[in-house]
Amino acid sequence: MQNDIVLSMRGIGKVFPGVRALHNVDFTLRKGEIHALMGENGAGKSTLIKVLTGVYTKDAGTIHLDGAEGEVIIRSPQDAQNAGISTVYQEITLCPNLTVAENMFIGRGKGMLVSRRTMEKRAGEILDSLSIPARPKQQLGSCSLAVQQMVAIARAVDMDCKVLILDEPTSSLDDKEVEMLFTLMRDLKNRGVGIIFVTHFLEQVYAVSDRITVLRNGELVGEYEVKDLPQVELVSKMMGKELEGLSDLVRDDSAQFDDSTPVYEASGLSSAKGVNPYDFAIRKGEVNGFTGLLGSGRSESVRAIFGADRVTGGKVKIDGKTVKIGKPIDAMKQGIGYLPEDRKDDGIIADLSVRDNIILALQVEKGFFHPFSQAEAEAFADEYIKALEIKTASSETPIKSLSGGNQQKVILARWLLTHPKYLILDEPTRGIDVGTKTEIQRLVRKLAEEGMSVTFISSEIEEMLRTCSRLIVMRDRHIVGELRGTELTQDNVMRTIAGGGE
C-alpha cells in the first residue's frame, strides 16, 4: 500500500565521465521491512546508496519519502540526515577514544549545550531499549566491532531515522555477533524502521530480509519477495546467466598435471580476515581457481596462502615439507608469487618506472642492501617487456602512464622474474581489454605446460572455465564445493554457489 512506503526512488540515473553508473533505477522501501540490495561488483549498489545519502548528486530521477508527492532534495549527507536517512558503514565512522554516550550525541547539539548527565541518561535509555550490551560511560574502543556498529545504529535511531542503511555490516563479525545484529535489526523492523541491507552473504539475506532488489551493470534487474526467489535464481540474476540452455565453453583439458606430492598443501588454514579453516592443495602444472560471488572469501583465501593477511591457524607444506608462512617474504622465499586483486593500491608503485616495478619482487628477495646494477635491471626489464609485449615508450616510463592492461603485464613480469613454482593471480584480467585478457589466459596455460602451478581467480565464470582444470567454490567464506572435469559448467558453478541447486 502507498501509505506503507517510506522511500521511493524512481528513474535514478548517474553518469561519471565515460561511465554510466546508474540508468533508470527504481527502488522502493516499505516501513518496517528489511530490504536486501544485491548485485555483483560494479552493479551500482554503492552509487545508488551515495545518491540517496547525498554523497553524489543524481543526474536523473526523483526521490520521495513517506509517500509524499513532493520530491525530497538531497544535496549532502546532512540533507539526508535531516530527512531521516542514516547510514552505518562497514568501517565504523565513530570515535573510539570517546565514550559511548559522547559518540551517540557528538555533532547533535543544534546550538544547544547538553549536560553530560542528561546525555548519559538518554544514552542509557536508548541502549537499554535496544538491548545493546554497552554502558554510556564506556569508551567505545573497548567494545567489540559488533557492539560499535550497534552504537552507530542506536545513534541513528535516536535521531528519528526513517530509513536505515546498513552497508556490509556483518563482513567482520563472527556468527554470534551476526545474530546479535540481526536481533537488533528485527527489533527496529518491528518499530517501523525501513532497513536497506547491503551484503554479499547469501545465507544472511535469506535469514533476515523480506524483499530483495537486484542490480546489474547499473540497471534494475528486478524486485522480489524473498520467499519467491530461490538462492540459485538470485545468483543467476546477479550474474546475468540463465540456468536453462547454457552452452559449455571450450576448455583445454589436454594439459596433465603431476599427481605426486603437492607443490603447496595447507590443512586448516585460516586468517584474521575471517576465512574459515580450509584444506587446499595444488600440484605441479595444475591451474585451479577459487570462485564465488564477491565477498565469498575467494580473495581472502589466497591472501592467507601468501601471508598477505595474518594467518591464525593451519599447517602448510611445500613439496611435502612443513614450512611457516606468516608474511609475504616467507611465501616468496618458498617460491610463491602473488598478483593482488587491487592493482592500483596493492600492485603497482605508481611513481616508479616500469623497470623498477618489474624488478621489485626479485630485489626484495635479494635484499635492498644488495641492489642490482643498472645494466642488470635494464636487462631484466627489457626481457619481460619483450616477452609480454608490454606497450611502453621505454623501461624508464612511469608505470602510471601505462594502460591498465599493460600495468597488469608489468606486475605479471615482476613475479615471473622470480621464477616462482606457484603463482597466484587474483583478478588478473579485471578492467583490461579483451585482447589482453586472451593473452593473459594463454600465458597462464603456457606457464602450466612448463610446470608452474597457478591459482587463477576471476569474477567471470566463462574465464574460469576456459582457464582452470579444477574449481573450488566458495560461499560466505566457506568452501562449499569442488568441481572438475565434466562437472565444470556454468550451471554447476551457480548451483553450488547457491547451495546445491535448490
Side-chain angles (χ1 to χ4, degrees):
M1 295 177 63
Q2 187 69 23
N3 60 0
D4 288 335
I5 295 175
V6 67
L7 169 69
S8 175
M9 304 177 77
R10 291 291 176 267
I12 302 298
K14 180 63 184 176
V15 178
F16 298 105
V19 179
R20 189 177 70 175
L22 294 173
H23 175 66
N24 198 30
V25 173
D26 294 343
F27 181 83
T28 303
L29 180 68
R30 298 170 184 157
K31 296 177 183 178
E33 80 162 343
I34 299 173
H35 194 135
L37 181 60
M38 302 293 289
E40 275 283 69
N41 190 34
K45 305 187 304 295
S46 295
T47 305
L48 186 67
I49 293 301
K50 288 178 179 177
V51 165
L52 177 58
T53 55
V55 177
Y56 294 155
T57 301
K58 58 183 169 57
D59 296 322
T62 59
I63 301 175
H64 302 267
L65 289 173
D66 287 332
E69 292 185 7
E71 180 185 1
V72 61
I73 304 301
I74 302 175
R75 297 190 180 92
S76 68
Q78 187 62 52
D79 286 345
Q81 185 171 297
N82 293 342
I85 302 169
S86 295
T87 308
V88 176
Y89 296 99
Q90 173 184 348
E91 301 296 332
I92 303 299
T93 55
L94 300 180
C95 302
N97 58 315
L98 299 181
T99 67
V100 168
E102 288 168 339
N103 271 284
M104 289 177 64
F105 283 86
I106 191 170
R108 293 174 54 193
K110 294 184 179 180
M112 297 181 294
L113 293 176
V114 180
S115 72
R116 179 170 294 275
R117 179 177 295 178
T118 301
M119 180 174 66
E120 290 175 351
K121 181 176 183 295
R122 175 59 186 158
E125 290 171 351
I126 189 71
L127 292 170
D128 288 343
S129 73
L130 295 173
S131 301
I132 296 175
R135 303 182 307 278
K137 296 182 180 181
Q138 182 178 1
Q139 190 178 53
L140 184 69
S142 67
C143 302
S144 69
L145 186 59
V147 172
Q148 290 184 42
Q149 286 180 321
M150 290 180 180
V151 169
I153 292 172
R155 171 185 165 90
V157 170
D158 195 43
M159 294 170 69
D160 297 322
C161 78
K162 304 170 185 175
V163 176
L164 176 63
I165 304 164
L166 300 180
D167 190 1
E168 296 288 354
T170 63
S171 59
S172 299
L173 308 184
D174 61 29
D175 291 344
K176 183 178 179 181
E177 291 172 328
V178 168
E179 193 48 51
M180 287 172 58
L181 182 62
F182 283 179
T183 299
L184 177 55
M185 290 168 65
R186 293 183 184 108
D187 185 2
L188 295 176
K189 168 185 169 178
N190 292 335
R191 294 171 185 234
V193 177
I195 300 175
I196 302 175
F197 183 32
V198 182
T199 183
H200 289 111
F201 293 109
L202 294 184
E203 292 178 0
Q204 294 181 8
V205 168
Y206 285 84
V208 77
S209 302
D210 301 297
R211 288 191 300 148
I212 301 171
T213 287
V214 180
L215 301 182
R216 187 174 67 246
N217 297 329
E219 298 187 357
L220 175 68
V221 176
E223 179 185 285
Y224 313 91
E225 297 287 335
V226 167
K227 61 182 176 60
D228 297 331
L229 187 66
Q231 285 193 32
V232 68
E233 290 187 24
L234 172 58
V235 172
S236 174
K237 293 179 186 301
M238 289 171 63
M239 304 182 90
K241 307 294 179 186
E242 296 300 329
L243 290 173
E244 298 292 333
L246 287 172
S247 58
D248 291 343
L249 293 135
V250 176
R251 180 177 61 255
D252 181 9
D253 286 329
S254 60
Q256 298 295 318
F257 54 88
D258 197 325
D259 61 357
S260 59
T261 303
V263 169
Y264 174 94
E265 184 176 13
S267 58
L269 192 65
S270 61
S271 82
K273 289 295 184 179
V275 176
N276 291 283
Y278 71 97
D279 299 339
F280 170 73
I282 188 168
R283 290 176 167 79
K284 185 177 180 179
E286 180 184 5
V287 181
N288 77 355
F290 284 80
T291 189
L293 299 176
L294 192 71
S296 62
R298 62 194 189 204
S299 293
E300 290 83 357
S301 295
V302 295
R303 287 178 64 85
I305 291 172
F306 191 66
D309 294 332
R310 183 170 61 85
V311 174
T312 54
K315 294 182 180 180
V316 171
K317 291 182 179 179
I318 300 290
D319 296 326
K321 296 181 180 178
T322 300
V323 299
K324 182 178 180 180
I325 297 178
K327 50 188 180 298
I329 189 63
D330 298 334
M332 292 166 65
K333 288 179 178 178
Q334 295 296 334
I336 303 175
Y338 168 57
L339 186 149
E341 177 184 21
D342 191 333
R343 176 176 65 234
K344 183 178 291 185
D345 290 341
D346 297 332
I348 67 170
I349 310 297
D351 292 325
L352 293 185
S353 67
V354 170
R355 179 195 63 232
D356 290 342
N357 270 277
I358 287 176
I359 68 168
L360 183 62
L362 192 60
Q363 184 64 76
V364 169
E365 284 188 359
K366 185 178 180 182
F368 285 106
F369 291 109
H370 304 283
F372 292 112
S373 68
Q374 183 76 10
E376 286 177 314
E378 288 290 353
F380 288 141
D382 289 345
E383 176 186 356
Y384 282 93
I385 288 173
K386 182 178 179 181
L388 298 183
E389 299 180 359
I390 299 171
K391 293 179 175 61
T392 177
S394 75
S395 64
E396 292 283 350
T397 302
I399 192 172
K400 63 185 178 184
S401 302
L402 273 58
S403 68
N406 284 293
Q407 289 179 2
Q408 201 75 308
K409 287 183 178 181
V410 169
I411 305 172
L412 266 172
R414 174 191 300 167
W415 291 109
L416 294 179
L417 181 58
T418 67
H419 301 289
K421 64 177 72 173
Y422 175 28
L423 182 60
I424 301 167
L425 303 175
D426 192 354
E427 295 284 8
T429 64
R430 175 184 289 169
I432 62 179
D433 62 82
V434 174
T436 306
K437 283 187 177 187
T438 303
E439 289 178 37
I440 290 176
Q441 290 167 25
R442 286 174 179 165
L443 175 62
V444 168
R445 288 182 179 177
K446 181 174 181 291
L447 294 172
E449 290 168 2
E450 294 172 353
M452 188 181 296
S453 305
V454 182
T455 289
F456 187 90
I457 296 176
S458 171
S459 299
E460 300 179 22
I461 291 183
E462 298 97 331
E463 193 170 41
M464 298 286 281
L465 293 172
R466 279 196 299 269
T467 309
C468 303
S469 57
R470 178 167 61 102
L471 287 183
I472 294 165
V473 184
M474 300 199 70
R475 184 181 69 246
D476 300 345
R477 296 183 182 171
H478 288 86
I479 292 177
V480 293
E482 183 175 310
L483 304 173
R484 62 175 75 214
T486 58
E487 300 170 335
L488 288 169
T489 66
Q490 291 179 339
D491 194 319
N492 284 340
V493 170
M494 287 193 289
R495 288 186 184 279
T496 307
I497 289 172
E502 300 168 38

